Amino acid sequence: MGSGNRKMIAIALVAVLVVAVVAVVALSQNNNSASQTATVLDASGTNVTLSASPQRIVSCAPDISEIVAAMDLTDKLVAVTDYCDYPQEVKTLRDAGKTIGGFYTPSYEKVISYNPDLVIVSNSVQTQTDMAIQLRSSGYTVLIVNAATNISMVYDNIEMIGKLVGLESKANDLVEDMQSRINSVSAGISGEDKPSIMFVTYAEAGFTNVWPAGGGTAIGEIIDLAGGDNVFAEMSGFEMASEEVLKSKASTVDYIFMTIMYSPETPENTSAWFKSDSLWKESPAAKNNNIYFLTGESENIFNRESVRTVDAVQLLAEIMHPDKFSGEVPHSTDGVNVIGDDYVDYLPS
């Protein structure tokens, strides 16, 4: 066989190999694309499908933003709400003006201006679910998650988002880590007495217009998991407590926790009132200065049912059972106990 013929055969063989490689790569890409297709049943009962990992995500709630960030997808977030401020990457996005309005006042026009391939909304407010209907009618992919009233629903939201974006394993790891940390708390307080807890979400001067967390709430479950006894467990959800009911609880309350984001009173004024009121100054909480004011991120871990809900469990457990954990929660014998963004410093190691 001449050298020319051998060269032609070699070229032909190379061409065949190239075609084969291209075919294999194309098939592989098609298979990968198919494997990324995911469908989940969201909180509205709608099947939501994505054929590829989202590249432009809009989050319509702080708890949603925290879950997306925990999935290491902050680089895919293109817009959040005015209230999304954790973690730092989310806060940076918000501060740069990449927002769609408030939690209760999201703007459809702003959302679509970011050309999202996935919008995640909460079913906790009508304005968001109404916007979801409008977005879907315009061809946008929308996932509606539950406003979690217990930790199991937090797990469901994490797993729902994780599966849809193609990070089911990551979501499972997040849930397992949360469960492990809660189990560690449970093991640490096993057999311990349960101090009585009053968790106040809002109050005005003179401890009036008081709204405590009752039973059937995520905060109620957090109290229980942390080894406390919610004195308002018999109350369903969040209601304003009457003066008579509050007075009936005073003598039994060991700890009072108050979130102060919306409160018109300062921690100093409220603390002084408890120590001066003829009834409340005799309560175990006031006598032992076990009144804690939560602000900033320490407040958010209770108000936002998300991946940091387990931080709330650990923080309460640390305060109520200090001899069982390694942290050092600030406790003043004569001052005011305020915990803010530095709450992480007090979590069990």
Side-chain angles (χ1 to χ4, degrees), residues 82-104:
D82 297 337
Y83 297 96
C84 295
D85 59 4
Y86 187 90
Q88 182 59 47
E89 295 91 337
V90 171
K91 184 176 184 296
T92 298
L93 189 69
R94 184 204 66 178
D95 293 346
K98 305 295 184 180
T99 63
I100 51 93
F103 176 66
Y104 294 99

Side-chain angles (χ1 to χ4, degrees), residues 127-142:
T127 49
Q128 292 209 25
T129 54
D130 288 346
M131 185 178 69
I133 294 172
Q134 188 178 8
L135 286 166
R136 283 173 172 169
S137 67
S138 299
Y140 292 93
T141 301
V142 181

Side-chain angles (χ1 to χ4, degrees), residues 273-274 276-282:
W273 181 88
F274 276 114
S276 64
D277 182 78
S278 58
L279 177 65
W280 280 98
K281 71 180 182 181
E282 298 301 323

Side-chain angles (χ1 to χ4, degrees), residues 197-210:
I197 308 301
M198 179 186 293
F199 197 104
V200 178
T201 60
Y202 179 83
E204 295 179 358
F207 206 47
T208 58
N209 197 13
V210 178

Side-chain angles (χ1 to χ4, degrees), residues 13-24:
L13 287 173
V14 169
V16 170
L17 287 173
V18 168
V19 171
V21 169
V22 170
V24 169

Side-chain angles (χ1 to χ4, degrees), residues 166-186:
L167 294 173
E168 191 169 3
S169 178
K170 175 69 173 178
N172 292 337
D173 288 345
L174 285 172
V175 170
E176 289 176 5
D177 178 67
M178 292 177 68
Q179 292 171 331
S180 176
R181 291 168 62 191
I182 289 174
N183 290 338
S184 179
V185 169
S186 297

Side-chain angles (χ1 to χ4, degrees), residues 17 30 33 55 57 59 68 87 102 151 189 199-200 207 235 277 280 296 347:
L17 287 173
N30 289 335
S33 177
Q55 300 301 305
I57 303 173
S59 165
V68 171
I151 295 179
I189 61 177
F199 197 104
V200 178
F207 206 47
M235 182 183 76
D277 182 78
W280 280 98
L347 298 183

